[in-house]
Amino acid sequence: MRSPIPDYLLEVLDSCGEDGGAVADYIPELAAADPDRFGICVATVDGTIYTAGDADVEFTIQSMSKPFTYAIALADRGIDALNERVGVEPSGEAFNEISVERGTGRPKNAMINAGALLTHSLVDGDDSAAQSERVRAGFSRFAGRDLVVDEQAFVSELASAHRNLGMAHLLKAAKTLDCDPVEIVRGYTRQCSVKVSCQDLAIMAATLANAGVHPLTHETLLSRPVVRQVLSVMMTCGMYDAAGDWMTDVGIPAKSGVSGGVIGALPGQVGIAVFSPRLDSHGSSVRGVEAFERLSRDMGMHLMDVAQEGRSALRGAYVTEGDDPMTVYEVQGDLRFAGAETIVRAIAEGEHETRRVALDLTRVYRLHDVGRRMLLESVRRLGEDGLEVVLVDPECALPEAADVGSERLTVVDSLADGTAST
Ligand code: GLN
């Protein structure tokens, strides 16, 4: 069978006919973009890439670089250190708002230029050139290929960076920026000039959607707390003064750039990138926004549109046959609070007319910390109630079980082992 997904993506491109808006023209390299280009790429967290249209056309990353530099700086310095210098509040204003908080000197957030300049200055590196290279190399790791700077776009952009220079000087005067303002604008402008395609951006976004693990190389590039911070700030601040509309209509953490790209990272599912150079009044791609609205609507991608996720955690509960039967609880999936609560409730309400109770974790895909603690406590309490607990845990999802101090616990690799051995 031919996958219907690329056909669907083509249909999305066809349906986004809106041709309003205008290509950014403040530098010749952006003004020269073909306004009719339209590409889309969806990268799943398990590394499947779907594209349609101009998905491999290259353009400068511009403001879509901001979440990735923020991620690098967060990883280098730690979340607290970043929070001291850059806020996490939506500005409700344009990307180039002059944002220096009275008293603290902090810019509102890392998705607007003031915050992005400061963020760039917090990336590790002995000097500005080293920081800039660290950013480029970091982007390349997220994309899974070596990305290069569009030198011509960089030179033009730097020559017209008066507002960014003004902001960097203000940040320096406010003492939030430690280094040379001119050098920081230079580094930030190089960061904005890295060339990418929709496919690169979708893979980069999929790394964020995949909790920091690259979907193709499987390398862990970011820690979960860093990813959570980046996605949260993208969600609340990524679309500048359209953040509220975006949240309600689309509901995907996102970031746009003046070159006409929009990226989105839907946690646990996909990274998405759309490219179409004509921009709306907020500086975001007109057809890019439209395509995201359609994807979100058609594919149920809104973050706030979640069904009862805990319901499927209990795959089944039954009593085995034989002389010494066991009550078995089969657990499955990705266990957060709601899923674990379903299991704990089933066990708490169980009659347990058998002397042994088995918790079969064979089909558990991931145990969140809360799920782990709730299952451990259940194992302990079952032991206290005088029941023998058989933990079927072939993937070692609950290694701490051995420490709960119950002599009544046996850990086995398969239910068959458990039936035989105790
Ligand atoms: N390089 C641009 C700037 O800093 C990026 C702006 C954007 O993409 N919104 O002004």
Side-chain angles (χ1 to χ4, degrees):
M1 183 197 88
R2 202 162 52 96
S3 166
I5 297 171
D7 295 337
Y8 165 73
L9 293 179
L10 269 179
E11 195 197 307
V12 170
L13 296 189
D14 279 345
S15 73
C16 296
E18 188 72 52
D19 56 6
V23 171
D25 59 1
Y26 69 94
I27 57 168
E29 289 71 20
L30 289 176
D34 177 351
D36 295 325
R37 291 284 192 202
F38 199 7
I40 187 165
C41 179
V42 174
T44 66
V45 289
D46 62 1
T48 307
I49 314 279
Y50 297 102
T51 58
D54 300 315
D56 54 7
V57 169
E58 291 193 332
F59 46 93
T60 48
I61 188 167
Q62 301 294 348
S63 286
M64 291 169 286
S65 63
K66 290 168 179 168
F68 299 105
T69 305
Y70 189 43
I72 296 170
L74 285 163
D76 284 352
R77 300 280 177 129
I79 294 173
D80 290 345
L82 259 283
N83 284 345
E84 267 173 37
R85 305 278 197 98
V86 187
V88 290
E89 296 302 333
S91 71
E93 308 229 23
F95 70 91
N96 55 3
E97 174 202 357
I98 295 173
S99 173
V100 186
E101 192 180 63
R102 206 181 289 261
T104 66
R106 292 190 316 171
K108 273 261 164 59
N109 64 69
M111 300 297 115
I112 54 175
N113 287 14
L117 287 162
L118 201 53
T119 303
H120 186 99
S121 80
L122 296 173
V123 167
D124 276 352
D126 289 340
D127 55 24
S128 157
Q131 290 175 305
S132 181
E133 172 53 19
R134 183 166 174 77
V135 165
R136 189 206 60 80
F139 290 3
S140 300
R141 288 232 301 283
F142 293 130
R145 76 173 180 109
D146 201 39
L147 300 175
V148 297
V149 170
D150 180 333
E151 296 292 341
Q152 229 176 306
F154 163 66
V155 170
S156 297
E157 180 105 31
L158 194 60
S160 67
H162 307 297
R163 196 174 169 94
N164 286 338
L165 275 166
M167 266 187 280
H169 280 289
L170 285 175
L171 292 168
K172 180 76 178 177
K175 299 194 168 56
T176 358
L177 183 68
D178 290 332
C179 28
D180 177 9
V182 177
E183 283 300 309
I184 279 312
V185 171
R186 200 183 152 78
Y188 163 76
T189 306
R190 277 192 88 71
Q191 159 191 326
C192 288
S193 307
V194 168
K195 280 194 289 186
V196 285
S197 66
C198 270
Q199 179 155 331
D200 295 324
L201 287 170
I203 294 171
M204 293 168 82
T207 302
L208 296 177
N210 196 29
V213 179
H214 195 281
L216 298 171
T217 64
H218 307 296
E219 217 185 318
T220 300
L221 299 180
L222 297 168
S223 71
R224 300 185 81 92
V226 163
V227 171
R228 193 175 67 183
Q229 173 96 359
V230 173
L231 290 177
S232 304
V233 174
M234 284 171 79
M235 187 74 262
T236 49
C237 314
M239 299 304 278
Y240 312 124
D241 39 341
D245 270 344
W246 184 266
M247 179 75 228
T248 48
D249 291 348
V250 180
I252 299 173
K255 188 74 209 71
S256 62
V258 279
S259 47
V262 186
I263 57 167
L266 186 61
Q269 295 198 47
V270 287
I272 306 170
V274 185
F275 169 58
S276 170
R278 289 197 196 89
L279 308 179
D280 62 19
S281 57
H282 307 287
S284 299
S285 166
V286 173
R287 290 191 300 186
V289 170
E290 216 185 324
F292 264 93
E293 283 170 355
R294 209 179 137 194
L295 283 177
S296 173
R297 208 168 46 235
D298 290 354
M299 318 267 248
M301 284 177 169
H302 198 296
L303 215 53
M304 296 303 169
D305 189 4
V306 179
Q308 293 186 8
E309 73 163 58
R311 274 182 78 160
S312 57
L314 184 64
R315 187 166 195 262
Y318 57 90
V319 177
T320 56
E321 314 240 307
D323 299 342
D324 189 8
M326 272 194 302
T327 307
V328 181
Y329 293 95
E330 271 187 359
V331 188
Q332 68 180 3
D334 190 359
L335 238 61
R336 290 170 171 269
F337 172 76
E341 187 275 338
T342 311
I343 308 297
V344 167
R345 176 156 35 104
I347 299 175
E349 289 171 357
E351 296 290 334
H352 304 148
E353 279 159 1
T354 57
R355 99 186 153 82
R356 295 186 299 163
V357 172
L359 220 53
D360 185 352
L361 306 187
T362 311
R363 289 189 167 81
V364 167
Y365 167 63
R366 193 161 80 95
L367 265 185
H368 288 257
D369 189 48
V370 60
R372 174 176 299 118
R373 282 182 281 127
M374 286 168 76
L375 290 188
L376 279 174
E377 187 58 18
S378 305
V379 167
R380 200 182 64 76
R381 289 184 181 212
L382 281 167
E384 264 178 15
D385 288 353
L387 289 150
E388 296 285 334
V389 182
V390 176
L391 189 67
V392 185
D393 191 9
E395 303 284 333
C396 216
L398 203 60
E400 304 90 335
D403 305 329
V404 295
S406 172
E407 293 119 43
R408 297 175 181 279
L409 174 73
T410 320
V411 183
V412 292
D413 280 347
S414 76
L415 197 59
D417 295 348
T419 320
S421 61
T422 52

